[in-house]
Amino acid sequence: MAPPESSETQINPFKVSQQQLDEAAKVLQLDQATHELLRWPLRELHVTLPVKMDDGSTKIFHGFRVQYNDARGPTKGGIRYHPSETIDTVRALAAWMTWKCALVDIPLGGAKGGVICNPKAMSQGEIERLSRAYIRQVGRILGLEKDVPAPDVYTNPQIMAWMADEYAFMQGHNEFGMITGKPLILGGSLGRGDATARGGMYCLREASKILAIELKDTSTAIQGYGNAGSLAHKLGSELFGLKIVAVSDSKGGIFLADGLDYEKVSAHKRETGSVVGFAGSKAISNEELLELEIDVLIPAALENVITGSNAGNIKAKIIVELANGPTTPNADKILYKNEVYVIPDFLANAGGVTVSYFEMVQNSYGYYWEESVIYERLDKKMTDAFHAVHNAASQHNVHNRLAAYLVAVTRVAEAVKVRGWT
Ligand code: NAD
């Protein structure tokens, strides 16, 4: 039996990402220098940000930007605002971005940014000043040809707009392609809003074909009700008729055996700030949600929620990891043994970066595609990546996450070698 991990808070996501790479390097028999290079970020910038608060005081914030690897092209990755942000979380997320871009075969490397802050306790003015301060420090290493941020947890299109605007002042001209996930009016792409959830749904469709599972009325639970989770609720219902029986957010979860209606739950969340208390539903905890008697589980919140301690209790047949890093390496082994079909994070949630890449392309030639073109191209990228992973898993007889690493690391290692780095 796998040794239990002590507690969720003690699991270091960067160590997890290194451990995952080590496993792939072993199977691929990667040479020592390339393996060592890929274990570390190439560059990172730590910044300290003084921000004027509404009460007249000045508060000092700390932030990061990690450019993990740019062998395949300019780096790409979101910016996360979170009170418990750490440099190691950002490093892990930057590593996962590297593998993700390689897996969906877009010509980009991986990066990530973060600021330690609690945006829920800040006014819009304070968030704007913090966002502009971040770009004044980090902007020097950003750009369409260098490194392109996007939204992540607790950042959104409005924040991207302030950041694009601050960067435009620094450059003396608009350069919309320096950041993605922008509002449409500032060069955002159609289809970016729900791209992460949509990409995950395309993967779920492919998995259901392989496992011969009918998706209509399939019972599903979603942890996290932000951009990724709530839109998975919407699209899962719209595209396949999934029956979403449970959803949750940071305040807790709700369960309704007959299925939760997207419009009604999202209206309740808009009005009250949480899904909790939705009429007719039963309150459940975030931990209980994971272990429900369901067919499809969609973690769409934070990392390390499926661990060695609870993986054995998971009853879902398919897990679609819209969140980054929701499953620990010990949990992976247990899920594989129990024949749970995991669509790993950097495959399942790659729709976001894929449409962000489409946004960069549209920004660079100033010509914008129709929504149907975006969906079609996204579907092709996701479906190809899904089958590359599924085939690698069958060929090497390994779980899907390791298979995804085998595909992605092979591509990054090839670029590293052909450049002559190792
Ligand atoms: P978001 O800020 O829009 O939503 C986060 C959601 O998680 C909120 O509903 C919040 O209440 C909930 N949450 C926070 N802490 C929680 C906890 N302890 N338990 C349960 N729920 C909790 O963020 P998002 O953009 O939807 O991102 C969610 C996940 O998806 C993250 O792991 C992110 O890295 C990943 N992701 C997002 C995108 C994207 O395009 N938005 C792309 C790739 C990956």
Side-chain angles (χ1 to χ4, degrees), residues 34-230:
T34 308
H35 177 191
E36 185 61 16
L37 179 73
L38 296 182
R39 294 186 89 237
W40 300 100
L42 287 179
R43 282 178 293 278
E44 48 187 59
L45 184 62
H46 295 226
V47 294
T48 304
L49 310 169
V51 177
K52 294 267 183 304
M53 306 304 278
D54 291 348
D55 65 4
S57 66
T58 299
K59 199 167 164 189
I60 309 301
F61 293 89
H62 298 279
F64 318 102
R65 184 73 187 169
V66 174
Q67 297 175 341
Y68 196 86
N69 190 290
D70 59 6
R72 285 174 47 90
T75 51
K76 182 91 190 76
I79 299 170
R80 185 179 277 204
Y81 286 177
H82 201 272
S84 46
E85 191 63 284
T86 68
I87 182 63
D88 275 347
T89 311
V90 180
R91 286 174 178 144
L93 291 162
W96 291 325
M97 283 305 298
T98 307
W99 315 132
K100 191 187 302 189
C101 292
L103 185 62
V104 282
D105 205 10
I106 54 181
L108 300 172
K112 204 79 183 188
V115 179
I116 306 167
C117 65
N118 181 6
K120 285 186 177 173
M122 294 167 71
S123 70
Q124 285 300 293
E126 289 168 343
I127 294 173
E128 175 177 353
R129 291 192 290 279
L130 173 68
S131 304
R132 290 184 183 278
Y134 181 78
I135 291 300
R136 281 198 297 278
Q137 281 298 337
V138 175
R140 66 197 74 190
I141 62 164
L142 301 178
L144 179 66
E145 305 287 341
K146 294 198 254 181
D147 180 13
V148 180
D152 195 78
V153 174
Y154 298 147
T155 55
N156 55 36
Q158 174 61 74
I159 293 175
M160 300 304 107
W162 289 324
M163 290 182 166
D165 183 65
E166 192 65 31
Y167 190 77
F169 278 113
M170 288 169 74
Q171 302 301 315
H173 61 98
N174 281 325
E175 200 183 305
F176 290 145
M178 61 71 61
I179 201 160
T180 61
K182 302 179 293 293
L184 285 181
I185 193 81
L186 289 191
S189 175
L190 289 171
R192 177 61 183 89
D194 68 7
T196 301
R198 186 175 290 275
M201 291 303 113
Y202 291 150
C203 289
L204 174 61
R205 179 194 65 205
E206 294 307 301
S208 74
K209 286 187 209 157
I210 284 167
L211 301 174
I213 293 176
E214 169 64 56
L215 288 179
K216 180 141 180 44
D217 288 329
T218 292
S219 58
T220 302
I222 303 173
Q223 184 184 63
Y225 212 69
N227 176 284
S230 70

Side-chain angles (χ1 to χ4, degrees), residues 34 87 89 95 114 143 157 163 188 199 232 239 249 257 275 322 332 346 377 382 404 407 416 420:
T34 308
I87 182 63
T89 311
M163 290 182 166
L239 298 175
D249 58 30
V275 296
L322 289 185
D332 265 331
F346 68 90
R377 291 180 180 173
M382 297 305 300
V407 176
V416 161

Side-chain angles (χ1 to χ4, degrees), residues 229-414:
S230 70
L231 293 171
H233 187 180
K234 178 173 193 281
L235 291 173
S237 320
E238 270 174 24
L239 298 175
F240 312 128
L242 291 178
K243 193 206 279 182
I244 316 290
V245 294
V247 300
S248 70
D249 58 30
S250 58
K251 301 210 174 74
I254 54 171
F255 174 84
L256 187 61
D258 290 341
L260 294 156
D261 178 78
Y262 165 74
E263 295 296 343
K264 290 182 184 154
V265 175
S266 52
H268 176 78
K269 176 144 173 115
R270 267 196 308 278
E271 279 157 29
T272 65
S274 173
V275 296
V276 172
F278 178 70
S281 70
K282 184 180 138 211
I284 55 167
S285 69
N286 263 296
E287 293 72 33
E288 285 166 334
L289 177 141
L290 299 170
E291 300 180 13
L292 287 171
E293 232 16 280
I294 42 164
D295 290 318
V296 178
L297 174 62
I298 307 184
L302 297 175
E303 40 308 309
N304 299 333
V305 292
I306 305 176
T307 68
S309 320
N310 64 358
N313 302 332
I314 285 184
K315 289 147 201 113
K317 296 189 182 79
I318 304 179
I319 300 182
V320 187
E321 294 183 344
L322 289 185
N324 281 308
T327 308
T328 65
N330 278 348
D332 265 331
K333 294 190 189 98
I334 297 167
L335 295 172
Y336 186 52
K337 190 172 111 273
N338 292 349
E339 296 184 18
V340 180
Y341 195 93
V342 177
I343 306 175
D345 50 5
F346 68 90
L347 169 61
N349 68 31
V353 74
T354 303
V355 177
S356 273
Y357 162 63
F358 296 162
E359 185 174 331
M360 288 167 65
V361 173
Q362 294 170 82
N363 290 153
S364 40
Y365 60 69
Y367 180 78
Y368 290 82
W369 309 346
E370 286 173 26
E371 206 160 49
S372 57
V373 175
I374 307 268
Y375 293 162
E376 192 187 313
R377 291 180 180 173
L378 173 64
D379 196 345
K380 167 112 179 71
K381 280 281 178 208
M382 297 305 300
T383 303
D384 286 354
F386 177 91
H387 288 284
V389 171
H390 183 75
N391 293 342
S394 312
Q395 190 192 337
H396 293 275
N397 211 10
V398 295
H399 59 71
N400 284 341
R401 188 179 325 278
L402 182 48
Y405 266 90
L406 298 181
V407 176
V409 172
T410 301
R411 291 176 182 166
V412 178
E414 193 185 339

